[in-house]
Amino acid sequence: RILPAADGGAFLNPRPRVMPAWNGVSTSGPGIVAMVGNNGQAAHLVRGLLLTWRTGTDRNLYGLAWTSAEDAIVVGEGGTILRLDERGARALDGGTSATLRAVATVSATEEIAVGDDGAIVRLLGDRVLTVPVDGRPDLLGVVARNGVATVVGEAGTVLRITDGHPTRLPPPTSQTLRAVGGCDDAL
């Protein structure tokens, strides 16, 4: 973008012309950081350098979780699920067209993704299973610890998922819960 200079001339704005809109960030230890955003953008830090991941999609991406120090699972619009590693992206069929908003690593062999209209997808390696939920609340956040996923969403929805079986917990509020995290045993 060209901006006017104080002397009446013009100069080129040194800031990048296109700045990514990051929708989700995930860390997996010191220096292990990745982010996803609009139009299929994904990036990760490698030895202090921000490198892009080729996702092969132009859909908006909303959530990601590390599955190892080099690999991540990414979710987004229209049921998009991608496994990302140093070779690039591999798409998985999630069995849903709902937008997926968040994903968490449950164990070394399992991830849980959640999204609009009560969408819950359980990833067991390359096997993808949908998890039925009573009602169709938008699910917006998920965290996993000790093999148990806690999911939050619309109208105070809180679900606990153990071995692929959801249990609805009493809502702490009627407000929409957009994210969940924790420290020690507290959420």
Side-chain angles (χ1 to χ4, degrees):
R1 182 171 148 197
I2 298 188
L3 301 174
D7 65 2
F11 69 94
L12 183 62
N13 183 350
R15 292 187 302 168
R17 288 180 289 174
V18 177
M19 200 62 169
W22 300 119
N23 297 323
V25 175
S26 181
T27 61
S28 182
I32 303 175
V33 179
M35 61 270 322
V36 293
N38 294 336
N39 303 313
Q41 294 178 330
H44 60 122
L45 287 175
V46 175
R47 293 180 291 286
L49 298 173
L50 185 64
L51 302 178
T52 59
W53 258 319
R54 295 179 199 269
T55 63
T57 185
D58 60 356
R59 291 183 173 183
N60 293 339
L61 303 173
Y62 295 109
L64 76 151
W66 289 97
T67 55
S68 74
E70 295 88 26
D71 305 335
I73 194 87
V74 175
V75 298
E77 274 184 328
T80 299
I81 302 173
L82 304 170
R83 283 204 182 277
L84 299 179
D85 61 26
E86 70 277 353
R87 295 178 307 267
R90 190 164 36 96
L92 300 176
D93 180 5
T96 183
S97 60
T99 293
L100 298 172
R101 303 285 177 180
V103 61
T105 300
V106 177
S107 71
T109 59
E110 179 182 2
E111 296 87 35
I112 294 276
V114 301
D116 295 353
D117 299 322
I120 299 178
V121 178
R122 187 174 181 209
L123 304 157
L124 302 166
D126 286 342
R127 206 170 97 202
V128 182
L129 307 170
T130 57
V131 176
V133 176
D134 291 337
R136 297 180 57 100
D138 287 344
L139 303 173
L140 304 171
V142 59
V143 67
R145 285 209 227 107
N146 303 319
V148 177
T150 302
V151 177
V152 299
E154 183 177 40
T157 298
V158 179
L159 303 171
R160 180 132 319 129
I161 302 174
T162 307
D163 295 324
H165 303 289
T167 303
R168 190 176 294 270
L169 301 179
T173 179
S174 62
Q175 300 297 313
T176 294
L177 303 171
R178 297 195 178 280
V180 61
C183 185
D184 298 325
D185 290 333
L187 292 175

